[in-house]
Amino acid sequence: RRVHGGFNFIFCTLFWRSVFMEKYRQWADPGTGINPFVPERIVSNNILVRFLKLIVGTVLVLVRLPVIAIAFSWIIIASFVSMLLPIAFVRRFWDRLTIPIGARLWLFGLGFFWIHADYADSRKLRLRIPPDDSRTSLPPGQRVGAGDLIVSNYTSVAEVLYLAFRFTPIFTVSVPDDDEPEEKGVVFRKSLLGAIRAAMGFNFPSSHGGTTISSLAASAHAPISVFPEGTRSNGQGVLKFAPVLKEAQRNNKRIPTTLVAFRYQFSHMSPTHTVGNGFWHMIKLCYQLYNTMYVTYLPAFEVASASAKSEDWKAYDDQLR
């Protein structure tokens, strides 16, 4: 009976796993086997371990949710005051003074106690070593200026909060459009609260009424954050870019672009968020003892040197990916 019961358990587990995976199969890449939308998690079969996680996780959620509520309230108040400031440089100063506090507190509430940030390995990527000391400045990204682009992968609200903490940029939302990709290349400017809302749901804006990166960069007083994939993935691969970088020029030159790559290490549930309710996903992040984020930077100089020969915007996108 014990053997028969164990067989039934294994059979039911495999059956429901196959049913779960079936709805994601159409998005899998046949060449690599990578499926960019399958939620990643590790489930322990030890009942005692699962019981202890339930007890500890419940306590953590009760402690961390008030921290997130304080951070959220801080960002709302800071954003409201920023809207009342009429002078651009004063508004920028206020944003850089207040927004990083709320964003980092929010990340802390989600369990991101330490964030590992470093530069990409130029030799491994076969890129030209910069002649100056651009790689000696820590933390990475200090040389990103107003109107410059920050292009990154897109997996969860954690990336939005980190970028708000490090750069307080102008956030944009890209619209994936397969019908007329040559004609669609617009982005939609978002406030930090709007970017958080977009990262926690699936509400894509209409493809009407947007602006181009070049138009936005011409009058920007802050860096511009771009998520060119247009939708969130589990981070196993980089999705095809929406055509938003094809006209990213300023003074007939490509806008300086810094690449920022995010990845996570986890023991139970990945911080990446592909499907489901965003608030419930945050609760599950609070449920974990800690979460680990790794951020890798490729400075604008190295991006420019690697893509100097790419005149076609599609080739440029491929190189950035």
Side-chain angles (χ1 to χ4, degrees):
R1 291 182 179 178
R2 185 176 300 173
V3 174
H4 182 69
F7 175 79
N8 286 338
F9 175 78
I10 295 174
F11 175 79
C12 291
T13 301
L14 293 176
F15 172 77
W16 286 112
R17 180 176 176 83
S18 65
V19 172
F20 176 77
M21 292 293 292
E22 181 64 31
K23 62 181 180 179
Y24 296 103
R25 190 165 297 170
Q26 61 177 319
W27 307 108
D29 179 56
T32 61
I34 293 177
N35 196 315
F37 300 116
V38 175
E40 296 183 293
R41 60 179 303 176
I42 300 174
V43 180
S44 174
N45 293 325
N46 190 310
I47 297 178
L48 179 59
V49 172
R50 295 173 69 175
F51 178 74
L52 290 176
K53 283 184 175 180
L54 176 63
I55 299 299
V56 175
T58 302
V59 174
L60 290 174
V61 170
L62 294 177
V63 171
R64 288 174 173 173
L65 282 182
V67 175
I68 294 175
I70 293 172
F72 181 59
S73 301
W74 178 279
I75 291 175
I76 289 179
I77 295 172
S79 300
F80 178 75
V81 173
S82 178
M83 292 172 56
L84 300 179
L85 299 176
I87 305 175
F89 77 88
V90 175
R91 186 165 56 249
R92 176 63 180 167
F93 176 79
W94 170 261
D95 289 343
R96 289 299 292 151
L97 185 67
T98 59
I99 293 297
I101 297 175
R104 188 62 185 95
L105 183 61
W106 195 325
L107 285 170
F108 188 86
L110 292 175
F112 293 99
F113 305 126
W114 298 101
I115 298 174
H116 306 269
D118 205 351
Y119 292 103
D121 190 337
S122 296
R123 292 181 176 87
K124 189 175 181 180
L125 296 174
R126 298 180 180 180
L127 298 176
R128 190 173 67 180
I129 304 298
D132 55 12
D133 61 346
S134 61
R135 278 179 165 267
T136 62
S137 60
L138 291 175
Q142 284 188 336
R143 298 196 174 190
V144 177
D148 292 356
L149 301 186
I150 304 170
V151 176
S152 59
N153 58 326
Y154 193 27
T155 66
S156 73
V157 70
E159 285 103 30
V160 174
L161 293 172
Y162 175 82
L163 293 173
F165 161 64
R166 280 290 290 112
F167 303 103
T168 320
I170 298 170
F171 286 99
T172 64
V173 175
S174 305
V175 182
D177 193 318
D178 296 329
D179 296 330
E180 299 179 71
E182 299 293 339
E183 300 298 327
K184 307 300 181 183
V186 300
V187 294
F188 292 81
R189 181 170 179 167
K190 292 286 185 179
S191 64
L192 173 56
L193 293 174
I196 291 173
R197 179 182 176 185
M200 293 178 64
F202 293 92
N203 52 327
F204 293 114
S206 167
S207 58
H208 300 285
T211 184
T212 63
I213 294 291
S214 300
S215 300
L216 197 58
S219 58
H221 292 85
I224 301 171
S225 170
V226 183
F227 301 111
E229 292 173 287
T231 188
R232 299 186 308 277
S233 71
N234 58 18
Q236 290 188 4
V238 180
L239 304 178
K240 180 181 177 181
F241 284 0
V244 297
L245 299 175
K246 63 177 181 177
E247 294 181 357
Q249 295 185 351
R250 184 172 55 197
N251 298 326
N252 296 322
K253 295 181 180 180
R254 279 188 181 144
I255 299 174
T257 301
T258 298
L259 294 185
V260 182
F262 295 91
R263 63 184 180 89
Y264 303 94
Q265 188 177 30
F266 63 97
S267 58
H268 173 60
M269 187 198 76
S270 172
T272 61
H273 173 216
T274 56
V275 295
N277 182 272
F279 181 74
W280 178 241
H281 177 74
M282 279 204 308
I283 290 180
K284 288 190 288 187
L285 288 184
C286 295
Y287 184 84
Q288 300 189 127
L289 189 61
Y290 65 90
N291 295 292
T292 306
M293 175 190 290
Y294 294 90
V295 188
T296 304
Y297 286 78
L298 189 64
F301 171 85
E302 297 177 51
V303 173
S305 64
S307 58
K309 297 181 180 180
S310 299
E311 298 297 334
D312 181 66
W313 69 270
K314 289 186 177 180
Y316 181 59
D317 280 1
D318 290 340
Q319 284 188 323
L320 292 183
R321 291 173 63 205

